[in-house]
Amino acid sequence: MQYFKFLFLFIMLSISQIIFSQTIKEYSIEELVLLAEQKADIILAGQASVEEAEFLKRQAGKFKNPSIKLDYGRRRASNEAGPEYAVELSQDFFYPGKRDLRIKIAGENEKSLEANLEEKKLEYRYSVIKLIYSYLISSEKATHIKDRVKRFTVMETFMKNKVFITPQSKSELYIIQNRLLNLNKHLIELERDQFLEWEKLNFFLGLATQAKIKSSWFKNGIKLNKDKIANEMLEKNPILKKAKILIQKSIAEAKLANLEKYSDIKLQGSIGEDRSGVANRFFDFGLTFNLPVLDRNQNQIKSIESRIISENYLLSHQTKMLISKLKAAIIDYESVKEILKKFSISSISEMETKLNFADLEFKKGRLNLINYLELETELHETHHAIYDIQLEYVDKYTNILFLTNNPEFIGETNAQ
């Protein structure tokens, strides 16, 4: 009877674990990035700024409203009095070319905000991706240390259960117990780091519980076409894009300043009737504009032309700086890629095989404790180095993608 109770309890626990595991949604890296972008206040703020600029661009092309004037009075002429009334209608028109330039200036401002939004999105995207990898790697390291704790716990039990206790075996037991103590401390620290990395990531995600993430690791790294990357950066880099837009905006402002010496044109017409004597009707039509005699706006024009020269120098400086930065980023990337090949993610399973071999040989007495501990420590350090190089590779890779304004982050392989 007791057996069936334990069997029933085991089945229920198994079913509950299956149901619980099914309720945990597994996210890909891209899904988490999209989720973060949807909740990003800074991106939403940038989108609202672009919308604001769009409406201002539409407003810049609007014509002024017409004005109407109604007059009524009485007039006396030749001892005769009578009413007089008139209606006057006027309309302001932009001087030819001004309206198009104002629309262009507002349009360039919108383009600048769009480029700024692109930069913010890319910056946000790769910040989230790097945090995802930081969290995944901290999880892998914590799991690895848990396995080490289990392994040394088994070794401790094995040493305690030895039939013959010698000073040598007792010393070996003390060494293993001390190693186990340090590993437990290390495990606590790594679990703390894992929790902290999740909190940093979840600031962008806003999830109620920790998510299960489908890992995507790199084996050999992505091969880069250096000439293509350089051209993409010069064409798409947000900093250069904004600098070029600023120059185009200033050129349009210079043209508008040159036209501002000519005032807008006002057309006006009136119609009325005077009945103070012999009734007469009248109609007037007129045109009003200022003569560019005293102020031809020369100083403002020269000021904007000087600004254009300054902006061109700044664009040249930024271009040289970014080219240099890209070259350095490529050197860093290629270096990390070579290390990535040496510390392959696929060797993780091989390390487990080596450790199992060492466990067996130590228990058989064919491997002494010092060599066993040295091998175990070396494999542990290699394990950490493999994942550290993954994070460094992601950092260097996303740096190049950011410089070229490329949102396509491509992984190589899914973790097994």
Side-chain angles (χ1 to χ4, degrees), residues 298-309:
Q298 301 98 323
N299 292 322
Q300 186 177 3
I301 294 169
K302 290 178 180 178
S303 172
I304 297 174
E305 288 174 348
S306 297
R307 188 210 305 166
I308 293 171
I309 293 172

Side-chain angles (χ1 to χ4, degrees), residues 107-120:
E108 296 299 335
N109 185 56
E110 182 187 11
K111 289 179 184 177
S112 180
L113 289 171
E114 286 174 346
N116 190 60
L117 178 59
E118 281 182 20
E119 184 180 13
K120 291 294 181 186

Side-chain angles (χ1 to χ4, degrees), residues 372-390:
Y372 173 79
L373 292 178
E374 185 177 353
L375 174 61
E376 199 276 340
T377 301
E378 289 291 333
L379 291 175
H380 158 69
E381 290 175 354
T382 303
H383 180 279
H384 273 35
I386 287 171
Y387 284 107
D388 286 341
I389 203 65
Q390 287 284 325

Side-chain angles (χ1 to χ4, degrees), residues 8 18 42 93 104 107 111 122 125 158 173 210 344 405:
F8 176 76
I18 292 171
I42 192 169
F93 292 94
K104 181 175 176 57
K111 289 179 184 177
L122 213 61
R125 178 181 183 83
F158 169 76
L173 174 61
Q210 288 192 16
S344 174
N405 199 22

Side-chain angles (χ1 to χ4, degrees), residues 70-133:
L70 302 175
D71 281 338
Y72 177 80
R74 294 185 66 82
R75 177 178 292 190
R76 179 178 292 275
S78 302
N79 296 321
E80 291 186 20
E84 179 189 36
Y85 55 86
V87 177
E88 181 180 310
L89 186 66
S90 63
Q91 174 67 54
D92 289 325
F93 292 94
F94 290 111
Y95 186 86
K98 280 187 180 181
R99 178 175 177 269
D100 291 339
L101 286 170
R102 285 175 179 169
I103 293 173
K104 181 175 176 57
I105 291 168
E108 296 299 335
N109 185 56
E110 182 187 11
K111 289 179 184 177
S112 180
L113 289 171
E114 286 174 346
N116 190 60
L117 178 59
E118 281 182 20
E119 184 180 13
K120 291 294 181 186
K121 279 184 175 180
L122 213 61
E123 193 176 63
Y124 198 90
R125 178 181 183 83
Y126 290 134
S127 294
V128 172
I129 286 175
K130 284 189 274 191
L131 284 172
I132 290 172
Y133 274 93

Side-chain angles (χ1 to χ4, degrees), residues 142-157:
T143 301
H144 173 67
I145 295 299
K146 285 178 185 176
D147 291 339
R148 291 185 75 199
V149 168
K150 290 178 183 177
R151 172 169 276 105
F152 276 93
T153 301
V154 171
M155 297 303 296
E156 181 188 28
T157 304

